[in-house]
Structures are given as C-alpha cells and as structure tokens.
Amino acid sequence: ITDGKVKIAVIAVAEHEFSIALENRVGCREYDPYDTNDDIVEAKKNADFVVVMYHGGKEHCRYPSPRLVKACRSMVKHGADLVMCQHTHCIGCYEEFMGGHILYGQGNFMFVSLLEKTDMWNTSLLLDANFEDGKLKVDFIPVRVRGDHGIELCKGEDKENILNELKERSKSMQDGSWKQGW
C-alpha cells in the first residue's frame, strides 16, 4: 500500500485452524515462525513499514500466552513495525517492543447477532496508525457493538474506561505479571 510517499507492506497469517489453505483448498496463510519471519524480512526490504495481521490467541483471554508473546516479539525483531492480533474476541494488552507495536487482542467486531451481555465481548479497538517521518504512532479508538446494527464509537466515560483498562492491563507486559492473567 502506498500513498506515493510511504510504502506499507501488510502480511496476514493465521494460527493453524480449519481455514488454512491446502494444496487442494483455498484458505488463509498459515503462521509459520520461519516462513512468516522470512516474509517480514523480505517485505521490509521494499517497504517503509511492515504491518502483520495475526489471527491467533486464546478466545476470551485478555492476556497473551507465552508462545504468542514470543511469536509477536520475534516478528518485531525481524522487522514488523506493527503486529495486531485478532481471534480473542476481546481487547487484550498492548506493548511497545524494540521500536515495534504489538496489540494482543483487538476485540470483537463480528458476531453482532450472537451478542453476549459482557463488555469484554462487546468492545473493540480501531487502530489509528500514523506512518509519517519514518516513525509509526499508534492511537486506539474504542468502539462498542450495539445490538443488531453494528458498532459505534465510544465517547466520554465509556471511552475513557476502555482506554484506562487497556493501559492497566498493558502495564503487565512490562513487569511480567501478564503471565498470571494468562
């Protein structure tokens, strides 16, 4: 993706599930620690920024597993500037690692007709990624699932609560206490 000034490479992978492409079946690209990291290194040669969309993580868990932390940090070490994990269906933790950004759980944008009555299931984060001056700045925009009519931007106290909870959980990535949440 380019706007003529900045070139962004997007790599999308998924943990092995029923949806992985096979020789005789269309599907998504499987996350492989060797192939994916090689893809990141190659993409970084031709792009200013590399974004990895990673479909994985434990459903309904706000904290990443030790394996997921290792995988995401490895992607950053290999050149990913932003790694966004989906699949948990809840907002997880965020960390800046070696100059890269990792969001472990973006939330739930789907399953609108299967609503549960929990904030964990009904909130999500949009990412406002600003790719300028050779730097990446990431801001989070909380949204909430609203009945059968989709999502809406959170405002006021609702917005602040979601962002404060993300900030508190994210502190655990710095001190190692995220392992207790996992």
Side-chain angles (χ1 to χ4, degrees), residues 2 11 13-14 17 45 49 54 57 67 71 75 100 120 162 178:
T2 186
I11 297 171
V13 294
E17 292 185 9
K45 291 178 184 177
F49 297 96
Y54 181 89
R67 185 203 54 78
M75 288 185 257
M120 186 165 78
I162 292 168
W178 59 270

PDB file of all heavy atoms in Angstrom, residues 2 11 13-14 17 45 49 54 57 67 71 75 100 120 162 178:
ATOM      1  N   THR A   2       0.604   2.180  -0.870  1.00  0.00           N
ATOM      2  CA  THR A   2       1.398   3.402  -0.872  1.00  0.00           C
ATOM      3  C   THR A   2       0.529   4.614  -1.182  1.00  0.00           C
ATOM      4  O   THR A   2      -0.469   4.493  -1.892  1.00  0.00           O
ATOM      5  CB  THR A   2       2.572   3.323  -1.870  1.00  0.00           C
ATOM      6  OG1 THR A   2       3.379   4.495  -1.727  1.00  0.00           O
ATOM      7  CG2 THR A   2       2.077   3.177  -3.298  1.00  0.00           C
ATOM      8  N   ILE A  11       1.116  -8.149   5.957  1.00  0.00           N
ATOM      9  CA  ILE A  11       1.227  -9.609   5.955  1.00  0.00           C
ATOM     10  C   ILE A  11       0.126 -10.140   6.855  1.00  0.00           C
ATOM     11  O   ILE A  11       0.013  -9.722   8.010  1.00  0.00           O
ATOM     12  CB  ILE A  11       2.614 -10.053   6.465  1.00  0.00           C
ATOM     13  CG1 ILE A  11       3.702  -9.536   5.509  1.00  0.00           C
ATOM     14  CG2 ILE A  11       2.680 -11.563   6.635  1.00  0.00           C
ATOM     15  CD1 ILE A  11       5.110  -9.729   6.023  1.00  0.00           C
ATOM     16  N   VAL A  13      -1.563 -13.598   8.488  1.00  0.00           N
ATOM     17  CA  VAL A  13      -1.363 -15.019   8.775  1.00  0.00           C
ATOM     18  C   VAL A  13      -2.338 -15.455   9.863  1.00  0.00           C
ATOM     19  O   VAL A  13      -2.891 -14.623  10.583  1.00  0.00           O
ATOM     20  CB  VAL A  13       0.090 -15.323   9.220  1.00  0.00           C
ATOM     21  CG1 VAL A  13       1.078 -15.082   8.098  1.00  0.00           C
ATOM     22  CG2 VAL A  13       0.477 -14.503  10.446  1.00  0.00           C
ATOM     23  N   ALA A  14      -2.528 -16.758   9.982  1.00  0.00           N
ATOM     24  CA  ALA A  14      -3.430 -17.303  10.999  1.00  0.00           C
ATOM     25  C   ALA A  14      -2.800 -18.533  11.629  1.00  0.00           C
ATOM     26  O   ALA A  14      -2.089 -19.289  10.963  1.00  0.00           O
ATOM     27  CB  ALA A  14      -4.769 -17.680  10.371  1.00  0.00           C
ATOM     28  N   GLU A  17      -5.800 -23.565  11.821  1.00  0.00           N
ATOM     29  CA  GLU A  17      -7.202 -23.845  12.114  1.00  0.00           C
ATOM     30  C   GLU A  17      -7.818 -24.499  10.886  1.00  0.00           C
ATOM     31  O   GLU A  17      -7.139 -24.785   9.915  1.00  0.00           O
ATOM     32  CB  GLU A  17      -7.957 -22.549  12.425  1.00  0.00           C
ATOM     33  CG  GLU A  17      -7.529 -21.896  13.709  1.00  0.00           C
ATOM     34  CD  GLU A  17      -8.385 -20.681  14.019  1.00  0.00           C
ATOM     35  OE1 GLU A  17      -9.390 -20.462  13.343  1.00  0.00           O
ATOM     36  OE2 GLU A  17      -8.038 -19.959  14.947  1.00  0.00           O
ATOM     37  N   LYS A  45      12.491  -5.042   3.050  1.00  0.00           N
ATOM     38  CA  LYS A  45      13.436  -4.581   2.030  1.00  0.00           C
ATOM     39  C   LYS A  45      12.784  -3.615   1.044  1.00  0.00           C
ATOM     40  O   LYS A  45      13.460  -2.776   0.458  1.00  0.00           O
ATOM     41  CB  LYS A  45      14.010  -5.777   1.257  1.00  0.00           C
ATOM     42  CG  LYS A  45      14.934  -6.650   2.064  1.00  0.00           C
ATOM     43  CD  LYS A  45      15.405  -7.833   1.233  1.00  0.00           C
ATOM     44  CE  LYS A  45      16.257  -8.781   2.048  1.00  0.00           C
ATOM     45  NZ  LYS A  45      16.655  -9.973   1.252  1.00  0.00           N
ATOM     46  N   PHE A  49       7.275   0.435   6.143  1.00  0.00           N
ATOM     47  CA  PHE A  49       6.680  -0.144   7.342  1.00  0.00           C
ATOM     48  C   PHE A  49       6.084  -1.502   6.999  1.00  0.00           C
ATOM     49  O   PHE A  49       5.561  -1.690   5.905  1.00  0.00           O
ATOM     50  CB  PHE A  49       5.574   0.754   7.909  1.00  0.00           C
ATOM     51  CG  PHE A  49       6.060   2.093   8.360  1.00  0.00           C
ATOM     52  CD1 PHE A  49       5.963   3.193   7.520  1.00  0.00           C
ATOM     53  CD2 PHE A  49       6.615   2.262   9.623  1.00  0.00           C
ATOM     54  CE1 PHE A  49       6.416   4.434   7.929  1.00  0.00           C
ATOM     55  CE2 PHE A  49       7.061   3.499  10.033  1.00  0.00           C
ATOM     56  CZ  PHE A  49       6.967   4.594   9.186  1.00  0.00           C
ATOM     57  N   TYR A  54      -2.282 -10.856  12.617  1.00  0.00           N
ATOM     58  CA  TYR A  54      -2.080 -12.215  13.117  1.00  0.00           C
ATOM     59  C   TYR A  54      -3.386 -12.722  13.721  1.00  0.00           C
ATOM     60  O   TYR A  54      -3.839 -12.199  14.743  1.00  0.00           O
ATOM     61  CB  TYR A  54      -0.976 -12.208  14.173  1.00  0.00           C
ATOM     62  CG  TYR A  54      -0.666 -13.553  14.754  1.00  0.00           C
ATOM     63  CD1 TYR A  54       0.285 -14.375  14.171  1.00  0.00           C
ATOM     64  CD2 TYR A  54      -1.324 -14.006  15.881  1.00  0.00           C
ATOM     65  CE1 TYR A  54       0.584 -15.622  14.710  1.00  0.00           C
ATOM     66  CE2 TYR A  54      -1.052 -15.252  16.426  1.00  0.00           C
ATOM     67  CZ  TYR A  54      -0.095 -16.048  15.836  1.00  0.00           C
ATOM     68  OH  TYR A  54       0.190 -17.279  16.364  1.00  0.00           O
ATOM     69  N   GLY A  57      -4.455 -16.474  19.193  1.00  0.00           N
ATOM     70  CA  GLY A  57      -4.646 -16.137  20.597  1.00  0.00           C
ATOM     71  C   GLY A  57      -5.788 -16.962  21.164  1.00  0.00           C
ATOM     72  O   GLY A  57      -6.532 -17.612  20.433  1.00  0.00           O
ATOM     73  N   ARG A  67       3.719 -18.324  24.393  1.00  0.00           N
ATOM     74  CA  ARG A  67       4.059 -18.637  22.997  1.00  0.00           C
ATOM     75  C   ARG A  67       3.702 -17.471  22.083  1.00  0.00           C
ATOM     76  O   ARG A  67       4.467 -17.103  21.194  1.00  0.00           O
ATOM     77  CB  ARG A  67       3.339 -19.912  22.538  1.00  0.00           C
ATOM     78  CG  ARG A  67       3.755 -20.349  21.134  1.00  0.00           C
ATOM     79  CD  ARG A  67       2.693 -21.219  20.460  1.00  0.00           C
ATOM     80  NE  ARG A  67       1.375 -20.620  20.420  1.00  0.00           N
ATOM     81  CZ  ARG A  67       0.996 -19.668  19.548  1.00  0.00           C
ATOM     82  NH1 ARG A  67       1.837 -19.200  18.667  1.00  0.00           N
ATOM     83  NH2 ARG A  67      -0.227 -19.179  19.580  1.00  0.00           N
ATOM     84  N   ALA A  71       6.182 -15.249  19.763  1.00  0.00           N
ATOM     85  CA  ALA A  71       5.964 -15.158  18.316  1.00  0.00           C
ATOM     86  C   ALA A  71       5.891 -13.694  17.868  1.00  0.00           C
ATOM     87  O   ALA A  71       6.538 -13.300  16.884  1.00  0.00           O
ATOM     88  CB  ALA A  71       4.690 -15.896  17.925  1.00  0.00           C
ATOM     89  N   MET A  75       8.470 -11.470  15.493  1.00  0.00           N
ATOM     90  CA  MET A  75       8.088 -10.752  14.271  1.00  0.00           C
ATOM     91  C   MET A  75       8.630  -9.333  14.292  1.00  0.00           C
ATOM     92  O   MET A  75       9.124  -8.829  13.272  1.00  0.00           O
ATOM     93  CB  MET A  75       6.571 -10.770  14.102  1.00  0.00           C
ATOM     94  CG  MET A  75       6.033 -12.142  13.719  1.00  0.00           C
ATOM     95  SD  MET A  75       4.256 -12.122  13.382  1.00  0.00           S
ATOM     96  CE  MET A  75       3.599 -12.852  14.882  1.00  0.00           C
ATOM     97  N   GLY A 100       8.817  -1.570  17.947  1.00  0.00           N
ATOM     98  CA  GLY A 100       7.596  -2.030  17.284  1.00  0.00           C
ATOM     99  C   GLY A 100       6.410  -1.957  18.228  1.00  0.00           C
ATOM    100  O   GLY A 100       6.559  -1.783  19.440  1.00  0.00           O
ATOM    101  N   MET A 120     -16.576  -7.323  27.760  1.00  0.00           N
ATOM    102  CA  MET A 120     -15.441  -7.976  27.124  1.00  0.00           C
ATOM    103  C   MET A 120     -15.791  -8.392  25.702  1.00  0.00           C
ATOM    104  O   MET A 120     -15.002  -8.228  24.784  1.00  0.00           O
ATOM    105  CB  MET A 120     -14.998  -9.195  27.939  1.00  0.00           C
ATOM    106  CG  MET A 120     -13.730  -9.819  27.409  1.00  0.00           C
ATOM    107  SD  MET A 120     -12.967 -10.965  28.558  1.00  0.00           S
ATOM    108  CE  MET A 120     -13.988 -12.387  28.363  1.00  0.00           C
ATOM    109  N   ILE A 162     -12.524   2.175  28.827  1.00  0.00           N
ATOM    110  CA  ILE A 162     -11.917   1.153  27.962  1.00  0.00           C
ATOM    111  C   ILE A 162     -10.422   1.414  27.800  1.00  0.00           C
ATOM    112  O   ILE A 162      -9.600   0.495  27.924  1.00  0.00           O
ATOM    113  CB  ILE A 162     -12.635   1.109  26.601  1.00  0.00           C
ATOM    114  CG1 ILE A 162     -14.059   0.574  26.791  1.00  0.00           C
ATOM    115  CG2 ILE A 162     -11.856   0.253  25.596  1.00  0.00           C
ATOM    116  CD1 ILE A 162     -14.958   0.748  25.585  1.00  0.00           C
ATOM    117  N   TRP A 178       1.726 -10.328  33.266  1.00  0.00           N
ATOM    118  CA  TRP A 178       0.765 -10.822  32.280  1.00  0.00           C
ATOM    119  C   TRP A 178       0.647 -12.346  32.332  1.00  0.00           C
ATOM    120  O   TRP A 178      -0.391 -12.900  32.032  1.00  0.00           O
ATOM    121  CB  TRP A 178       1.135 -10.373  30.852  1.00  0.00           C
ATOM    122  CG  TRP A 178       2.492 -10.831  30.408  1.00  0.00           C
ATOM    123  CD1 TRP A 178       3.666 -10.170  30.577  1.00  0.00           C
ATOM    124  CD2 TRP A 178       2.800 -12.056  29.757  1.00  0.00           C
ATOM    125  NE1 TRP A 178       4.694 -10.906  30.065  1.00  0.00           N
ATOM    126  CE2 TRP A 178       4.196 -12.071  29.556  1.00  0.00           C
ATOM    127  CE3 TRP A 178       2.063 -13.145  29.321  1.00  0.00           C
ATOM    128  CZ2 TRP A 178       4.866 -13.123  28.931  1.00  0.00           C
ATOM    129  CZ3 TRP A 178       2.719 -14.193  28.704  1.00  0.00           C
ATOM    130  CH2 TRP A 178       4.108 -14.176  28.515  1.00  0.00           C
TER     131      TRP A 178
END
